[in-house]
Amino acid sequence: MHHVIQWSGGIGSWAATELVHRNHPDDPITLLFADTKIEDSDLYRFNADASARLGIPITRVCDGQTPFELFVQRRYLGNARIAPCSQVLKQRPCRRWLTEHADPADTVLYVGLEPDEQRRAPAITAGWHPWRVEYPLMQHSDLTKDDLLAWCRNGRHRLQVGSPTTARDRAG
């Protein structure tokens, strides 16, 4: 099975990758990063550090234009209500890569949505059809962003890999 992580460079995609890698250590894993060419330099630093720590290279896809260039091309005033940047600069390059490199029959796509983001999952799952989409962090309903950050910083976590329960759930 080929495991493709939608890598944002955020703590959710990092933690999802950790879980997938621990559950499937011998399977191929791809960190698929859609670069908008205007990310903060610290995101690129984190990407490099995380890739080295995980031992998995980042596969970068890029449309070639920045959001500002897209705004000019489309004669569009950027705002938070309509997201042509997400579609053009992230979803299309990722879908192009998936179509060329990842057979839906033997590929699982992972998104690092946190437990409080469950409302977003149905649309994301529908949008990535025909690939199967999983959300590893949602199996851990009491997980917080602080838990994820602590895990990333010090390498310790309270999750039982391969199980949707946490150590605290079993103890209580």
Side-chain angles (χ1 to χ4, degrees):
M1 186 66 63
H2 184 189
H3 305 278
V4 178
I5 313 293
Q6 288 284 45
W7 182 266
S8 68
I11 195 65
S13 58
W14 176 86
T17 302
E18 280 280 347
L19 291 172
V20 171
H21 189 250
R22 290 170 190 232
N23 285 326
H24 306 283
D26 299 323
D27 290 352
I29 296 175
T30 299
L31 305 179
L32 187 58
F33 172 62
D35 192 351
T36 62
K37 298 175 55 178
I38 63 160
E39 303 294 348
D40 188 271
S41 62
D42 194 52
L43 179 122
Y44 296 109
R45 182 219 36 92
F46 178 78
N47 282 357
D49 291 352
S51 175
R53 180 173 166 181
L54 293 162
I56 304 170
I58 291 178
T59 299
R60 177 185 169 270
V61 294
C62 184
D63 173 80
Q65 56 187 332
T66 69
F68 306 110
E69 292 167 338
L70 182 62
F71 296 161
V72 170
Q73 176 197 23
R74 297 267 176 108
R75 295 181 180 184
Y76 174 78
L77 181 60
N79 66 73
R81 293 189 164 263
I82 303 172
C85 293
S86 291
Q87 183 183 49
V88 173
L89 303 181
K90 294 182 177 184
Q91 294 166 1
R92 285 184 189 164
C94 286
R95 182 169 286 280
R96 194 169 26 256
W97 187 92
L98 287 164
T99 300
E100 293 172 8
H101 299 95
D103 181 354
D106 69 356
T107 300
V108 180
L109 186 61
Y110 298 89
V111 178
L113 292 184
E114 295 169 39
D116 64 347
E117 297 179 290
Q118 289 190 21
R119 71 193 183 296
R120 297 178 57 203
I124 292 170
T125 299
W128 288 109
H129 182 78
W131 290 274
R132 186 174 91 208
V133 181
E134 294 186 8
Y135 307 90
L137 299 178
M138 285 193 193
Q139 297 175 3
H140 306 278
S141 61
D142 67 335
L143 200 59
T144 67
K145 190 169 292 282
D146 287 340
D147 292 331
L148 300 179
L149 292 168
W151 180 14
C152 184
R153 287 184 187 116
N154 63 34
R156 290 189 299 266
H157 62 87
R158 59 185 176 82
L159 302 177
Q160 292 296 312
V161 178
S163 167
T165 61
T166 65
R168 186 172 72 204
D169 291 337
R170 288 196 326 278

